[in-house]
Amino acid sequence: MKKILQIDPEFKRLGVPLSPEEEHKLEKSLIREGCLEPISAWHGCILDGHKRYEICSYEEIEFEIREMDFATREEAIIWVCSKRVEKLNHPCPIYKYLVGKWYCAEKQLVHQKRKIEKRKTLDLEIETRDETGRIVSIPVDRVSLVVAHKVSRTRSAIEKYGSLSKLYDEIAEKDTALFDAIMSGRISVTFARIQEMAKMNSIKLASMRRRLLHEKDVKMRQHKPHPKQDELEQKKSNPVQIAPLETGIKEMPVFDPDMEFRGLMLTIPTWMNAIARARGKTKIEMVSDSTKEQLANTLHKLEEEITQTLEVIER
């Protein structure tokens, strides 16, 4: 029987993006060896292993489920974030986001405890271990110190990451593709720009995403790496042979105004087949509402692009 797990958008955002090469390597490994590591879930929602679940479900590969025992959603978030941060050793966007989410979840737990105790202050301390293994206590009303101690950062950095994570969540709720592009490093933005983005609607964010990705693509194509010294030496020792004039002059390719649209004509049938295949293999009544909503938003955006393109063609 096929195992069905739910995908919670917030938990999915906590995953470290894989490069195309890493994703291809994972897919080959799963097909060849099977899914050796269980997929961690909490109340039927995936916590760890979203990409493995996606590949295993599509390729019909058997996998095990490890049901985690957490009392609150915040505890689940802290577990995922701490697990991810351990494997990241530099403050890249996904690192800052995870540490910020960790800090915000810790703060929320403290607020919940205070609410239960019905007190304005909570005279409790959080015990943790330092680098030598010695147990130290930190007041819970300075939660940023707790997280800062565990990840070896300053308290001010942790608090800034917390603010940053909230802005990233606002962006992700309106344009998941932009959030993914920032987390994967395909788009670099300043803190001030992120603050501006968080205030934009989904249409403006989508437009900005396309523009930023286009600008980066243009810069990459314009960039020409300098030849290494040994390559220069080799060119000097092996001069280029000049072909005789009889062979003729190579003609430059003629500009083809149809090229971009021809590319779409080749790509769109692939999308159509993928959509039809997913629709045919999926039991829609078992899909979570959040996943259906995300897909609907994506399809509406695709529909918008199709409509605009048709308007241009039919003028």
Side-chain angles (χ1 to χ4, degrees):
M1 182 179 176
K2 189 175 181 180
K3 301 172 185 175
I4 305 295
L5 292 172
Q6 294 183 0
I7 298 177
D8 184 290
E10 185 177 25
F11 290 146
K12 187 175 183 181
R13 289 198 292 268
L14 301 178
V16 177
L18 297 178
S19 66
E21 294 77 14
E22 291 172 329
E23 188 172 331
H24 180 64
K25 183 178 179 181
L26 174 63
E27 183 176 0
K28 286 179 62 178
S29 172
L30 289 170
I31 293 174
R32 183 177 61 252
E33 303 173 7
C35 188
L36 304 179
E37 183 180 355
I39 293 173
S40 300
W42 178 65
H43 290 179
C45 291
I46 301 174
L47 293 180
D48 180 44
H50 287 87
K51 184 56 65 174
R52 282 182 285 125
Y53 175 74
E54 179 184 324
I55 295 172
C56 289
S57 297
Y58 182 78
E59 298 292 345
E60 298 183 349
I61 300 171
E62 290 292 327
F63 59 88
E64 296 298 322
I65 299 173
R66 181 195 293 124
E67 185 65 29
M68 307 300 293
D69 182 21
F70 297 113
T72 65
R73 184 182 187 87
E74 287 72 28
E75 289 181 10
I77 290 174
I78 292 169
W79 178 79
V80 176
C81 291
S82 59
K83 177 183 174 70
R84 298 272 190 267
V85 168
E86 283 181 2
K87 300 177 182 179
L88 298 170
N89 55 7
H90 59 92
C92 55
I94 185 63
Y95 175 92
K96 295 177 181 179
Y97 177 68
L98 290 171
V99 173
K101 292 289 287 184
W102 182 354
Y103 165 56
C104 291
E106 292 275 17
K107 279 180 65 177
Q108 188 62 31
L109 280 180
V110 171
H111 292 322
Q112 290 172 2
K113 290 178 182 178
R114 284 177 173 167
K115 188 175 180 180
I116 292 172
E117 294 291 329
K118 295 181 179 180
R119 294 168 57 187
K120 293 183 178 180
T121 59
L122 190 65
D123 301 325
L124 295 177
E125 293 183 337
I126 296 176
E127 289 189 343
T128 185
R129 294 181 181 274
D130 60 15
E131 294 78 3
T132 64
R134 182 171 56 89
I135 295 178
V136 294
S137 298
I138 299 175
V140 295
D141 57 350
R142 303 301 296 274
V143 181
S144 54
L145 287 174
V146 178
V147 181
H149 178 78
K150 292 182 179 179
V151 300
S152 300
R153 299 281 168 186
T154 63
R155 179 177 62 83
S156 59
I158 300 304
E159 292 174 355
K160 183 177 180 179
Y161 294 167
S163 301
L164 193 61
S165 69
K166 293 179 181 178
L167 297 173
Y168 279 141
D169 279 337
E170 290 182 41
I171 292 171
E173 288 170 3
K174 290 178 279 191
D175 192 318
T176 305
L178 176 57
F179 172 84
D180 292 341
I182 295 173
M183 291 299 110
S184 63
R186 289 184 292 134
I187 291 178
S188 299
V189 285
T190 62
F191 183 75
R193 176 63 67 87
I194 293 169
Q195 288 177 309
E196 293 175 8
M197 287 178 169
K199 299 176 183 177
M200 296 180 182
N201 58 34
S202 58
I203 297 175
K204 287 185 178 181
L205 285 176
S207 176
M208 176 171 281
R209 166 172 48 81
R210 289 190 290 267
R211 179 172 61 80
L212 291 174
L213 287 173
H214 175 71
E215 288 175 358
K216 182 173 182 180
D217 183 53
V218 170
K219 288 179 182 178
M220 289 180 65
R221 284 189 273 113
Q222 289 177 343
H223 175 69
K224 295 181 180 179
H226 297 289
K228 295 180 181 178
Q229 189 63 34
D230 55 349
E231 292 176 350
L232 292 174
E233 295 294 334
Q234 187 176 4
K235 287 183 179 179
K236 289 180 181 178
S237 60
N238 299 301
V240 178
Q241 299 294 326
I242 301 176
L245 291 177
E246 289 79 6
T247 59
I249 300 174
K250 183 178 179 181
E251 295 183 358
M252 295 297 292
V254 180
F255 170 69
D256 183 4
D258 296 344
M259 181 178 64
E260 295 293 340
F261 276 14
R262 283 204 187 104
L264 281 178
M265 291 165 61
L266 294 173
T267 305
I268 290 175
T270 304
W271 301 348
M272 294 167 60
N273 290 335
I275 292 171
R277 183 172 63 249
R279 189 175 62 244
K281 294 184 67 174
T282 303
K283 293 183 178 179
I284 191 66
E285 66 276 5
M286 302 183 75
V287 178
S288 66
D289 291 339
S290 59
T291 300
K292 286 190 285 189
E293 183 179 353
Q294 280 186 297
L295 178 58
N297 290 336
T298 304
L299 290 174
H300 283 312
K301 291 175 183 177
L302 176 60
E303 183 181 29
E304 177 188 343
E305 292 297 329
I306 293 172
T307 301
Q308 292 178 6
T309 306
L310 286 172
E311 288 175 357
V312 172
I313 293 173
E314 295 171 355
R315 282 177 184 171

